[in-house]
Short mmCIF file of all heavy atoms in Angstrom, two decimals:
data_model
loop_
_atom_site.label_atom_id
_atom_site.label_comp_id
_atom_site.label_asym_id
_atom_site.label_seq_id
_atom_site.Cartn_x
_atom_site.Cartn_y
_atom_site.Cartn_z
N HIS A 1 78.31 -29.18 -138.37
CA HIS A 1 76.90 -28.85 -138.12
C HIS A 1 76.02 -30.08 -138.31
O HIS A 1 75.13 -30.36 -137.50
CB HIS A 1 76.45 -27.74 -139.06
CG HIS A 1 77.01 -26.39 -138.73
ND1 HIS A 1 76.58 -25.65 -137.65
CD2 HIS A 1 77.97 -25.65 -139.34
CE1 HIS A 1 77.25 -24.50 -137.61
NE2 HIS A 1 78.10 -24.48 -138.61
N ALA A 2 76.26 -30.81 -139.40
CA ALA A 2 75.42 -31.97 -139.72
C ALA A 2 75.56 -33.05 -138.65
O ALA A 2 74.59 -33.73 -138.31
CB ALA A 2 75.79 -32.53 -141.09
N MET A 3 76.76 -33.22 -138.12
CA MET A 3 76.98 -34.23 -137.08
C MET A 3 76.20 -33.91 -135.81
O MET A 3 75.60 -34.79 -135.19
CB MET A 3 78.47 -34.38 -136.81
CG MET A 3 79.26 -34.99 -137.96
SD MET A 3 81.06 -34.78 -137.78
CE MET A 3 81.39 -35.84 -136.37
N ILE A 4 76.21 -32.64 -135.42
CA ILE A 4 75.46 -32.25 -134.22
C ILE A 4 73.96 -32.42 -134.46
O ILE A 4 73.25 -32.98 -133.61
CB ILE A 4 75.79 -30.80 -133.82
CG1 ILE A 4 77.21 -30.72 -133.27
CG2 ILE A 4 74.79 -30.28 -132.79
CD1 ILE A 4 77.63 -29.34 -132.82
N ALA A 5 73.48 -31.97 -135.63
CA ALA A 5 72.05 -32.10 -135.93
C ALA A 5 71.62 -33.56 -135.97
O ALA A 5 70.47 -33.89 -135.65
CB ALA A 5 71.74 -31.41 -137.25
N ALA A 6 72.55 -34.46 -136.33
CA ALA A 6 72.23 -35.89 -136.43
C ALA A 6 72.34 -36.61 -135.10
O ALA A 6 72.07 -37.81 -135.02
CB ALA A 6 73.12 -36.56 -137.46
N GLY A 7 72.79 -35.91 -134.05
CA GLY A 7 72.82 -36.54 -132.73
C GLY A 7 74.18 -36.92 -132.21
O GLY A 7 74.28 -37.73 -131.29
N ALA A 8 75.27 -36.33 -132.75
CA ALA A 8 76.62 -36.71 -132.33
C ALA A 8 76.88 -36.42 -130.85
O ALA A 8 77.76 -37.04 -130.24
CB ALA A 8 77.67 -35.99 -133.19
N LEU A 9 76.15 -35.48 -130.26
CA LEU A 9 76.38 -35.14 -128.86
C LEU A 9 75.93 -36.23 -127.89
O LEU A 9 76.20 -36.15 -126.70
CB LEU A 9 75.66 -33.83 -128.51
CG LEU A 9 76.11 -32.59 -129.29
CD1 LEU A 9 75.36 -31.36 -128.80
CD2 LEU A 9 77.62 -32.38 -129.18
N ARG A 10 75.27 -37.25 -128.40
CA ARG A 10 74.82 -38.35 -127.55
C ARG A 10 75.87 -39.45 -127.42
O ARG A 10 75.66 -40.41 -126.67
CB ARG A 10 73.53 -38.96 -128.12
CG ARG A 10 72.35 -38.02 -128.18
CD ARG A 10 71.07 -38.77 -128.49
NE ARG A 10 70.73 -39.70 -127.42
CZ ARG A 10 69.97 -39.40 -126.37
NH1 ARG A 10 69.47 -38.18 -126.26
NH2 ARG A 10 69.70 -40.29 -125.44
N HIS A 11 76.99 -39.35 -128.13
CA HIS A 11 77.92 -40.46 -128.22
C HIS A 11 79.18 -40.21 -127.40
O HIS A 11 80.25 -39.93 -127.94
CB HIS A 11 78.27 -40.73 -129.69
CG HIS A 11 77.08 -41.02 -130.55
ND1 HIS A 11 76.18 -42.03 -130.29
CD2 HIS A 11 76.62 -40.39 -131.66
CE1 HIS A 11 75.23 -42.03 -131.21
NE2 HIS A 11 75.47 -41.05 -132.04
N GLY A 12 79.06 -40.30 -126.09
CA GLY A 12 80.22 -40.29 -125.23
C GLY A 12 80.82 -38.94 -124.92
O GLY A 12 81.85 -38.86 -124.23
N LEU A 13 80.23 -37.86 -125.37
CA LEU A 13 80.79 -36.54 -125.10
C LEU A 13 80.27 -36.00 -123.77
O LEU A 13 79.10 -36.18 -123.42
CB LEU A 13 80.42 -35.56 -126.21
CG LEU A 13 81.08 -35.81 -127.57
CD1 LEU A 13 80.58 -34.80 -128.59
CD2 LEU A 13 82.60 -35.74 -127.47
N ARG A 14 81.16 -35.34 -123.05
CA ARG A 14 80.78 -34.72 -121.78
C ARG A 14 80.73 -33.20 -121.89
O ARG A 14 80.15 -32.53 -121.02
CB ARG A 14 81.76 -35.14 -120.69
CG ARG A 14 81.72 -36.63 -120.39
CD ARG A 14 82.84 -37.05 -119.47
NE ARG A 14 82.82 -36.32 -118.21
CZ ARG A 14 83.81 -36.37 -117.31
NH1 ARG A 14 84.88 -37.12 -117.56
NH2 ARG A 14 83.72 -35.69 -116.20
N ALA A 15 81.37 -32.65 -122.92
CA ALA A 15 81.37 -31.20 -123.12
C ALA A 15 81.46 -30.90 -124.60
O ALA A 15 82.01 -31.70 -125.37
CB ALA A 15 82.53 -30.56 -122.36
N VAL A 16 80.94 -29.75 -124.99
CA VAL A 16 81.07 -29.28 -126.37
C VAL A 16 81.45 -27.81 -126.35
O VAL A 16 80.95 -27.03 -125.53
CB VAL A 16 79.75 -29.50 -127.17
CG1 VAL A 16 78.60 -28.70 -126.57
CG2 VAL A 16 79.94 -29.13 -128.64
N VAL A 17 82.41 -27.45 -127.22
CA VAL A 17 82.90 -26.08 -127.32
C VAL A 17 82.35 -25.47 -128.60
O VAL A 17 82.45 -26.08 -129.68
CB VAL A 17 84.43 -26.04 -127.32
CG1 VAL A 17 84.92 -24.59 -127.35
CG2 VAL A 17 85.00 -26.77 -126.11
N LEU A 18 81.80 -24.26 -128.49
CA LEU A 18 81.25 -23.54 -129.65
C LEU A 18 82.11 -22.30 -129.88
O LEU A 18 81.80 -21.20 -129.40
CB LEU A 18 79.79 -23.15 -129.39
CG LEU A 18 78.85 -24.28 -128.97
CD1 LEU A 18 77.46 -23.73 -128.65
CD2 LEU A 18 78.77 -25.34 -130.07
N PRO A 19 83.23 -22.42 -130.62
CA PRO A 19 84.14 -21.29 -130.79
C PRO A 19 83.64 -20.30 -131.84
O PRO A 19 83.59 -20.60 -133.02
CB PRO A 19 85.45 -21.96 -131.23
CG PRO A 19 85.02 -23.24 -131.89
CD PRO A 19 83.72 -23.64 -131.25
N ASP A 20 83.23 -19.12 -131.39
CA ASP A 20 82.72 -18.07 -132.28
C ASP A 20 81.67 -18.65 -133.23
O ASP A 20 81.67 -18.37 -134.44
CB ASP A 20 83.86 -17.42 -133.08
CG ASP A 20 83.47 -16.06 -133.65
OD1 ASP A 20 82.78 -15.31 -132.96
OD2 ASP A 20 83.85 -15.78 -134.81
N SER A 21 80.78 -19.45 -132.70
CA SER A 21 79.80 -20.19 -133.51
C SER A 21 78.59 -19.30 -133.78
O SER A 21 77.56 -19.40 -133.10
CB SER A 21 79.40 -21.49 -132.81
OG SER A 21 80.54 -22.30 -132.62
N LEU A 22 78.72 -18.44 -134.76
CA LEU A 22 77.68 -17.45 -135.06
C LEU A 22 76.43 -18.09 -135.64
O LEU A 22 75.33 -17.58 -135.45
CB LEU A 22 78.23 -16.41 -136.04
CG LEU A 22 79.47 -15.62 -135.58
CD1 LEU A 22 79.88 -14.64 -136.68
CD2 LEU A 22 79.20 -14.89 -134.29
N ALA A 23 76.59 -19.19 -136.39
CA ALA A 23 75.46 -19.79 -137.11
C ALA A 23 75.10 -21.14 -136.52
O ALA A 23 75.96 -22.00 -136.35
CB ALA A 23 75.82 -19.95 -138.59
N LEU A 24 73.82 -21.32 -136.21
CA LEU A 24 73.31 -22.60 -135.75
C LEU A 24 71.91 -22.81 -136.33
O LEU A 24 71.13 -21.86 -136.43
CB LEU A 24 73.22 -22.66 -134.22
CG LEU A 24 74.52 -22.70 -133.42
CD1 LEU A 24 74.22 -22.58 -131.93
CD2 LEU A 24 75.30 -23.97 -133.71
N SER A 25 71.60 -24.03 -136.68
CA SER A 25 70.27 -24.35 -137.17
C SER A 25 69.36 -24.66 -135.98
O SER A 25 69.83 -24.96 -134.88
CB SER A 25 70.32 -25.56 -138.09
OG SER A 25 70.60 -26.74 -137.34
N PRO A 26 68.03 -24.61 -136.17
CA PRO A 26 67.12 -25.01 -135.09
C PRO A 26 67.38 -26.43 -134.61
O PRO A 26 67.31 -26.70 -133.40
CB PRO A 26 65.73 -24.88 -135.75
CG PRO A 26 65.91 -23.86 -136.82
CD PRO A 26 67.30 -24.07 -137.34
N ALA A 27 67.71 -27.34 -135.54
CA ALA A 27 67.98 -28.73 -135.14
C ALA A 27 69.22 -28.80 -134.25
O ALA A 27 69.24 -29.53 -133.25
CB ALA A 27 68.16 -29.60 -136.38
N GLU A 28 70.28 -28.05 -134.60
CA GLU A 28 71.48 -28.04 -133.77
C GLU A 28 71.19 -27.45 -132.39
O GLU A 28 71.63 -28.00 -131.36
CB GLU A 28 72.57 -27.21 -134.43
CG GLU A 28 73.19 -27.82 -135.66
CD GLU A 28 74.15 -26.83 -136.29
OE1 GLU A 28 73.72 -26.02 -137.13
OE2 GLU A 28 75.33 -26.86 -135.91
N SER A 29 70.49 -26.33 -132.38
CA SER A 29 70.18 -25.69 -131.11
C SER A 29 69.41 -26.63 -130.19
O SER A 29 69.67 -26.71 -128.99
CB SER A 29 69.37 -24.41 -131.36
OG SER A 29 70.13 -23.49 -132.13
N ALA A 30 68.45 -27.36 -130.77
CA ALA A 30 67.67 -28.30 -129.97
C ALA A 30 68.55 -29.41 -129.40
O ALA A 30 68.41 -29.79 -128.23
CB ALA A 30 66.55 -28.89 -130.82
N LYS A 31 69.47 -29.93 -130.23
CA LYS A 31 70.36 -31.00 -129.76
C LYS A 31 71.29 -30.49 -128.67
O LYS A 31 71.61 -31.22 -127.71
CB LYS A 31 71.17 -31.55 -130.94
CG LYS A 31 70.35 -32.23 -132.02
CD LYS A 31 69.67 -33.49 -131.52
CE LYS A 31 68.96 -34.20 -132.65
NZ LYS A 31 68.24 -35.41 -132.18
N ILE A 32 71.74 -29.26 -128.79
CA ILE A 32 72.64 -28.69 -127.77
C ILE A 32 71.88 -28.49 -126.46
O ILE A 32 72.40 -28.77 -125.38
CB ILE A 32 73.26 -27.37 -128.28
CG1 ILE A 32 74.21 -27.65 -129.45
CG2 ILE A 32 74.00 -26.65 -127.16
CD1 ILE A 32 74.68 -26.41 -130.19
N ARG A 33 70.63 -28.02 -126.55
CA ARG A 33 69.82 -27.86 -125.33
C ARG A 33 69.57 -29.21 -124.66
O ARG A 33 69.62 -29.34 -123.43
CB ARG A 33 68.48 -27.20 -125.68
CG ARG A 33 68.59 -25.74 -126.07
CD ARG A 33 67.21 -25.08 -126.11
NE ARG A 33 67.29 -23.76 -126.73
CZ ARG A 33 67.01 -23.52 -128.00
NH1 ARG A 33 66.62 -24.49 -128.80
NH2 ARG A 33 67.11 -22.29 -128.47
N GLN A 34 69.29 -30.23 -125.47
CA GLN A 34 69.08 -31.57 -124.92
C GLN A 34 70.35 -32.09 -124.25
O GLN A 34 70.30 -32.72 -123.18
CB GLN A 34 68.62 -32.53 -126.02
CG GLN A 34 67.24 -32.21 -126.59
CD GLN A 34 66.97 -32.96 -127.87
OE1 GLN A 34 67.71 -33.86 -128.27
NE2 GLN A 34 65.90 -32.56 -128.57
N PHE A 35 71.49 -31.84 -124.87
CA PHE A 35 72.78 -32.25 -124.31
C PHE A 35 72.99 -31.58 -122.96
O PHE A 35 73.41 -32.21 -121.98
CB PHE A 35 73.88 -31.86 -125.30
CG PHE A 35 75.28 -32.10 -124.82
CD1 PHE A 35 75.79 -33.38 -124.73
CD2 PHE A 35 76.10 -31.03 -124.47
CE1 PHE A 35 77.10 -33.59 -124.30
CE2 PHE A 35 77.39 -31.23 -124.04
CZ PHE A 35 77.89 -32.52 -123.95
N ARG A 36 72.69 -30.29 -122.87
CA ARG A 36 72.84 -29.56 -121.61
C ARG A 36 71.88 -30.10 -120.56
O ARG A 36 72.25 -30.25 -119.38
CB ARG A 36 72.57 -28.07 -121.86
CG ARG A 36 72.67 -27.22 -120.61
CD ARG A 36 74.10 -27.14 -120.11
NE ARG A 36 74.17 -26.46 -118.82
CZ ARG A 36 74.08 -27.06 -117.64
NH1 ARG A 36 73.92 -28.36 -117.57
NH2 ARG A 36 74.17 -26.37 -116.54
N ALA A 37 70.65 -30.43 -120.97
CA ALA A 37 69.66 -30.95 -120.03
C ALA A 37 70.09 -32.30 -119.46
O ALA A 37 69.72 -32.65 -118.33
CB ALA A 37 68.31 -31.07 -120.71
N ARG A 38 70.88 -33.07 -120.22
CA ARG A 38 71.36 -34.37 -119.73
C ARG A 38 72.59 -34.22 -118.84
O ARG A 38 73.16 -35.22 -118.40
CB ARG A 38 71.70 -35.28 -120.92
CG ARG A 38 70.51 -35.70 -121.76
CD ARG A 38 70.89 -36.83 -122.72
NE ARG A 38 71.98 -36.46 -123.61
CZ ARG A 38 71.82 -35.89 -124.81
NH1 ARG A 38 70.59 -35.61 -125.25
NH2 ARG A 38 72.86 -35.62 -125.57
N GLY A 39 73.05 -32.99 -118.62
CA GLY A 39 74.21 -32.77 -117.76
C GLY A 39 75.48 -32.43 -118.52
O GLY A 39 76.53 -32.28 -117.91
N GLY A 40 75.41 -32.32 -119.85
CA GLY A 40 76.58 -31.97 -120.63
C GLY A 40 76.97 -30.51 -120.41
O GLY A 40 76.14 -29.66 -120.10
N LEU A 41 78.25 -30.22 -120.60
CA LEU A 41 78.78 -28.87 -120.43
C LEU A 41 78.90 -28.21 -121.80
O LEU A 41 79.48 -28.79 -122.73
CB LEU A 41 80.15 -28.92 -119.75
CG LEU A 41 80.86 -27.59 -119.49
CD1 LEU A 41 80.08 -26.75 -118.50
CD2 LEU A 41 82.27 -27.85 -118.98
#
């Protein structure tokens, strides 16, 4: 969780899998939306 909130999705990843990911913080959700907006899967 901390890695995603800190911006790990910006470092060379093209896709992210959320397996039964029931809990997310607002910071994580924002980073995931930004990742999707940049073309990430």
